[in-house]
Amino acid sequence: MQEEWGWIIAIYLFLGGLGAGACMVAVFMEFFRKINQCVSSCPVTLVGATLPGPILAIGTLLLIFDLGQGLQKPWLIINLYTHFSSVMTWGTWILTLFIPISMVYGFLEVMDFKSEAWDWLKSRSWIVKMGKFHSFLENFQLKRTKQGIALVSGVLALGVALYTGLLISIVGPAVPFWSTPVIPALPIPILPLLFLTSALSSGLAITVDFVDSVLNHDSHEHMSRLPYYHLAVILVEGLFLGLLLFNANSSGGAAAQSAEAIISGPYSILFWLFVVGLGIIVPAVIHGMQSSRKKRLNDNICLANAVGVLFSSLTMRFVIVAAGIHAIL
Amino acid sequence: MASIRRKVYGLGLFILAKFTGGKKELQIMKNLEISRRKFMGLTLAGGGALATTGSSLFNLTPETAKESSSADYAMIIDTTKCVGCGACVTACTMVNDLPENKSYVQRIVKVDEGKTWFLMMSCQHCANPPCATVCPTNATYIRPDGVVMTDRKLCVGCKYCMYACPYEARVYLREEGVADKCWLCMNRVLQGKDPGCVFACLFGARIFGKTDDPEVSKVLASGKAKPLYPEFGTNPAIVTYIIES
């Protein structure tokens, strides 16, 4: 095949996972106040709620650039909503709903985080002039509305993370590597699960690790079990990655060729160095250290680890998309 | 319920097709006697051309095709007669006005125990086509006669079908920004001519015709011609191969 999905689609899949993961972390922090002791104005929630909208918007723009007609006849994109047997149509709907809803969630989170901003907004003269709207804002239950919207965007974020994997695993016999099942007998594709755990891993990296090291916040003080969750996500991701390659390798044919290209072929350096090294081994060691000792790790190490996790998440998408070899004819 | 939904859905697409074109389809359906009969009860002859597009669009979904797995046309490729000259590949490029080095027919060289033979691969016109299932804009669809078609005016060029087709029959046309494929040269067939590849084959390795055509039905009845890779589950309906075991 001469014209393939390449870096643009890989970046989109990465951004989709990143945004969805960040949103899921924010919603988790929002609802599990018992675990997250950071009662009011949690900066992790703030970052996790505000980032997904813009991230997914950029990702969607990339998708449109990748379309053959994206710039020539953009009005044809409206047809993407019409054919429900296609996973791409599901994805179009999920993205269309997720981007604005998560942006509203981010806005409400900012307003909740900084109540001065909310008061400032309500005191604007042009809002005061609109009598009914002003009284609506005065009686507006910010926290409760925010939590409702957080729930909706959390569900949609789960949809985004799963759909990015389902999109390429649904092609079935054409690209056998992508549709590798969890267990050979069970026809559930492994890619949606792998992409979900990878999304959570990169979402945790961009929220918890970034906030801790850049904003000098200490999430672990408020949430003692956080390193364990982090470690669990990374280990499950490693398990799925191993299962994917093992099952693909043992099923033979084109799937085995794909697995070989990743393990020992042209993508082996990218895979072992970045995907396994930066994405699984290094964060597993760092979060293992965080969970075993009470002392805080160096901020710069945490930041470097987070950047590494993001990069590995991108590389993993690229390697999987690029290694999708067609069934042998 | 499903039929109502399909009709509402078809109507929406009909309106869309009016705005976005769909000329290729229009031209073909104009020539089809069957559809002319269909729309007689529906509308006046003046709006006939557009109504035919509508009626063909009513049958877009792959689900309708699954109900009837038999197709009106049959193409049998006899690999025992094929010498791999590639005349069909070039003829396809010329007849369909494709860019250089692009063709809906692809030559695959097979080596089995020292014996070399040629597998001419193009769209198999599946009764259960993954490309049509996966197409997000409904640009690819099954006609009532079993031919799987792509409407270039509706394709956005997402390339999803290129990954979904296990036969790698999809061809991406960079200039147009669309992914098209073999359409059995329906423009030629409806004029009573053979498709370009059949016309070009000097060795009689391609047999094409309606399924009730005596020559074609004789070959089909012999049971030698078999669909390629049935394990893909796509149920190829039109193209079958005679392969020496």
Side-chain angles (χ1 to χ4, degrees):
Chain A
M1 219 186 313
Q2 304 99 329
E3 283 85 9
E4 291 177 323
W5 288 348
W7 273 108
I8 293 181
I9 295 295
I11 293 172
Y12 159 70
L13 293 174
F14 159 68
L15 290 176
L18 180 64
C23 187
M24 280 188 279
V25 171
V27 173
F28 179 83
M29 297 286 191
E30 184 83 49
F31 283 99
F32 292 86
R33 290 287 180 200
K34 270 185 191 160
I35 303 168
N36 182 13
Q37 300 292 324
C38 186
V39 181
S40 63
S41 63
C42 173
V44 175
T45 320
L46 179 73
V47 171
T50 45
L51 281 184
I55 286 177
L56 262 292
I58 293 167
T60 311
L61 274 182
L62 286 178
L63 276 189
I64 292 168
F65 285 140
D66 196 59
L67 290 179
Q69 302 286 12
L71 302 175
Q72 276 90 357
K73 296 180 195 160
W75 57 88
L76 286 178
I77 290 165
I78 198 82
N79 293 323
L80 284 171
Y81 293 98
T82 55
H83 198 201
F84 285 96
S85 68
S86 171
V87 178
M88 205 176 266
T89 297
W90 307 356
T92 315
W93 277 104
I94 292 175
L95 283 181
T96 313
L97 295 173
F98 179 74
I99 293 170
I101 288 176
S102 70
M103 279 179 170
V104 170
Y105 174 42
F107 172 75
L108 292 178
E109 179 61 42
V110 170
M111 290 298 130
D112 193 38
F113 189 80
K114 275 237 175 284
S115 53
E116 299 97 315
W118 182 237
D119 294 335
W120 178 85
L121 191 72
K122 280 193 290 193
S123 66
R124 290 305 89 197
S125 57
W126 58 275
I127 286 183
V128 175
K129 268 182 205 158
M130 291 189 284
K132 266 192 178 165
F133 185 58
H134 184 248
S135 59
F136 166 74
L137 285 186
E138 283 294 339
N139 300 324
F140 190 69
Q141 297 213 329
L142 189 60
K143 202 140 222 152
R144 189 172 282 182
T145 318
K146 189 190 80 179
Q147 285 184 341
I149 292 202
L151 193 65
V152 175
S153 56
V155 171
L156 286 171
L158 188 70
V160 171
L162 286 174
Y163 128 81
T164 49
L166 198 62
L167 178 76
I168 63 172
S169 66
I170 207 82
V171 297
V175 186
F177 178 61
W178 290 349
S179 50
T180 304
V182 181
I183 310 165
L186 200 70
I188 298 173
I190 209 163
L191 272 190
L193 302 170
L194 175 63
F195 278 19
L196 176 64
T197 47
S198 167
L200 279 173
S201 164
S202 56
L204 279 167
I206 206 171
T207 53
V208 175
D209 291 352
F210 266 75
V211 167
D212 277 14
S213 42
V214 177
L215 299 179
N216 207 23
H217 177 73
D218 195 351
S219 304
H220 302 95
E221 198 178 287
H222 307 294
M223 204 171 161
S224 56
R225 269 185 260 159
L226 193 60
Y228 295 103
Y229 298 139
H230 221 136
L231 200 58
V233 165
I234 284 156
L235 292 181
V236 171
E237 186 190 344
L239 175 77
F240 282 140
L241 198 57
L243 260 181
L244 172 74
L245 291 172
F246 179 78
N247 285 345
N249 205 14
S250 54
S251 68
Q257 280 185 10
S258 297
E260 207 181 292
I262 291 175
I263 296 168
S264 56
Y267 305 111
S268 56
I269 295 174
L270 279 179
F271 177 72
W272 290 111
L273 214 59
F274 296 122
V275 180
V276 176
L278 289 180
I280 291 165
I281 295 172
V282 172
V285 168
I286 284 185
H287 297 302
M289 278 159 74
Q290 274 179 343
S291 58
S292 63
R293 66 168 96 155
K294 294 281 167 256
K295 222 185 95 213
R296 212 176 143 178
L297 278 175
N298 186 330
D299 277 350
N300 292 332
I301 294 176
C302 287
L303 188 64
N305 169 46
V307 173
V309 168
L310 296 188
F311 189 68
S312 90
S313 174
L314 170 62
T315 318
M316 192 191 82
R317 260 62 163 208
F318 173 72
V319 163
I320 287 174
V321 169
I325 293 170
H326 253 271
I328 300 152
L329 291 174
Chain B
M1 194 59 209
S3 66
I4 294 170
R5 201 184 56 207
R6 198 175 295 145
K7 274 183 185 164
V8 172
Y9 183 47
L11 193 68
L13 277 165
F14 166 53
I15 294 160
L16 271 177
K18 265 183 82 173
F19 284 111
T20 54
K23 261 189 192 159
K24 189 160 90 175
E25 179 66 9
L26 194 83
Q27 202 60 45
I28 293 151
M29 294 310 284
K30 260 187 193 166
N31 296 323
L32 266 184
E33 279 298 315
I34 306 162
S35 58
R36 200 167 290 165
R37 252 181 281 131
K38 252 188 194 169
F39 84 78
M40 275 300 223
L42 288 172
T43 178
L44 292 169
L50 285 171
T52 39
T53 326
S55 68
S56 77
L57 288 164
F58 275 70
N59 295 299
L60 284 186
T61 50
E63 290 80 28
T64 25
K66 271 181 222 158
E67 287 158 18
S68 58
S69 62
S70 64
D72 289 4
Y73 295 99
M75 179 176 307
I76 299 127
I77 301 174
D78 193 341
T79 60
T80 58
K81 286 184 185 164
C82 178
V83 299
C85 67
C88 48
V89 180
T90 317
C92 179
T93 309
M94 286 168 68
V95 163
N96 290 304
D97 209 7
L98 295 174
E100 233 181 305
N101 300 327
K102 295 260 164 151
S103 174
Y104 297 150
V105 189
Q106 185 195 346
R107 176 172 57 188
I108 295 170
V109 184
K110 303 279 270 187
V111 182
D112 284 347
E113 293 152 10
K115 193 173 152 264
T116 307
W117 56 285
F118 302 94
L119 188 61
M120 289 303 175
M121 188 66 74
S122 59
C123 177
Q124 310 288 304
H125 296 278
C126 314
N128 183 18
C131 58
T133 313
V134 130
C135 177
T137 64
N138 232 322
T140 300
Y141 59 95
I142 297 193
R143 280 157 51 98
D145 56 11
V147 181
V148 180
M149 295 262 286
T150 301
D151 189 342
R152 286 193 190 183
K153 293 269 166 66
L154 278 175
C155 176
V156 286
C158 69
K159 309 179 203 82
Y160 201 6
C161 53
M162 302 183 65
Y163 282 98
C165 175
Y167 301 96
E168 292 184 59
R170 285 271 166 179
V171 178
Y172 187 69
L173 306 170
R174 195 178 278 269
E175 294 275 295
E176 286 91 345
V178 297
D180 210 338
K181 64 166 193 66
C182 162
W183 56 312
L184 279 183
C185 291
M186 285 315 279
N187 52 348
R188 292 172 61 89
V189 170
L190 293 171
Q191 286 166 15
K193 297 185 205 162
D194 274 338
C197 54
V198 179
F199 178 72
C201 188
L202 297 171
F203 300 90
R206 283 175 183 266
I207 304 160
F208 176 81
K210 288 224 159 202
T211 40
D212 50 13
D213 186 275
E215 193 198 356
V216 173
S217 57
K218 205 176 85 189
V219 182
L220 285 178
S222 73
K224 273 194 228 155
K226 289 189 182 78
L228 207 58
Y229 300 115
E231 67 268 24
F232 289 151
T234 56
N235 197 3
I238 292 182
V239 183
T240 44
Y241 288 79
I242 298 173
I243 297 171
E244 214 174 86
S245 56

